[in-house]
Amino acid sequence: MALVNLKQLVSAAFHHGYAVGSFNVVNMETLQAILQVAEEHHSPVILSVAEAHFPFVDLEEFSPILLRAARKAKVPVALHLDHGQSLPAIVTALRNGFTSVMFDGSTLPLEENIAKTREITRMAHAVDVSVEAELGHVTGGEDDTSPGVADPSLFTDPQEAELFVAETEVDALAVAVGSVHGIYQGTPELDIERLAAIRDLTGVPLVLHGGSGLSNDDFRQAIAAGIAKINVYTDMSQAAMARIRTVDTLPQRLGFPEFMLLVREAIQEAVAEKMQIFGSVGQYN
């Protein structure tokens, strides 16, 4: 199956009531783990590289590897720039074969977010690349280890979302409805009514960032209310770190390659669990 446009994946998910997982890639182990599970479970998948991870991932050096792996995969794969906040990062992704970019202007005033998103959408659509944007603001960061809570004052306004989508023509919209990036302090409560209102007013696939701490039922309700793409990183990272901490208890001594295999196995388990919950398993045969 060839590398595909993200719009193709999330539109199918949006109309058929499941979500596609967008899993952050930070090295070869994460790349191999994600694709192996996607193929075994016949699930479409999104490989994401976050601008926040550029210190660990040289996008120009790593892109040919990502592209080759995606093109060889037996399931549909989209290659996505996650939380692009700078024009150079977005241009680099476009020049290196990504099929989707996210522009995160969520901290900007509404008018400025619309204007910048609109220009990026025009540029990306000219080369058949999908665009995700964010309205409202999901707090926390990709590698934030300090627990956080959602701020209702930053939640996405449904009427603003309707205007935003109409003005920018984005293919997917990331919304703030009660989740946070990183670890959630306490028990998150998603505003499902708000989410459904955004779906009804915009008509575009919606994206959930910051799923850590959410229950299986939370995910299912969110998908029923319009979520078609769910970002996953913290759960993968925590699974890998938990497996690393077991190394000292193993009877055999491990070399570095064996050590990395343990990490890959932990990530595979986390990815497989999420694909089952999101309903993407078996969506491509």
Side-chain angles (χ1 to χ4, degrees), residues 34-111:
I34 295 162
L35 286 181
Q36 182 175 334
V37 173
E39 290 184 339
E40 290 175 352
H41 290 75
H42 303 281
S43 172
V45 69
I46 300 162
L47 300 175
S48 298
V49 179
E51 184 175 352
H53 289 151
F54 281 9
F56 319 115
V57 180
D58 185 318
L59 200 63
E60 293 194 357
E61 293 289 335
F62 201 37
S63 289
I65 297 171
L66 291 168
L67 287 167
R68 182 172 183 271
R71 287 169 177 152
K72 287 178 60 181
K74 299 174 183 177
V75 294
V77 180
L79 189 54
H80 177 69
L81 175 69
D82 186 28
H83 284 288
Q85 294 182 313
S86 67
L87 185 59
I90 291 169
V91 170
T92 299
L94 294 176
R95 287 177 174 171
N96 282 276
F98 278 54
T99 58
S100 175
V101 294
M102 177 191 182
F103 172 62
D104 182 359
S106 60
T107 61
L108 301 175
L110 177 61
E111 294 77 9

Side-chain angles (χ1 to χ4, degrees), residues 197-245:
I198 297 168
R199 175 202 60 199
D200 294 342
L201 288 171
T202 65
V204 298
L206 304 179
V207 181
L208 182 68
H209 288 249
S212 299
L214 296 180
S215 68
N216 293 357
D217 189 55
D218 287 331
F219 282 120
R220 294 184 183 113
Q221 287 190 57
I223 292 167
I227 292 295
K229 171 179 177 281
I230 301 175
N231 284 33
V232 180
Y233 175 68
T234 300
D235 285 343
M236 293 165 53
S237 178
Q238 288 184 316
M241 292 305 298
R243 189 62 54 87
I244 288 168
R245 294 186 184 101

Side-chain angles (χ1 to χ4, degrees), residues 142-155:
E142 296 295 331
D143 288 295
D144 198 343
T145 57
S146 57
V149 296
D151 182 351
S153 71
L154 300 176
F155 285 7

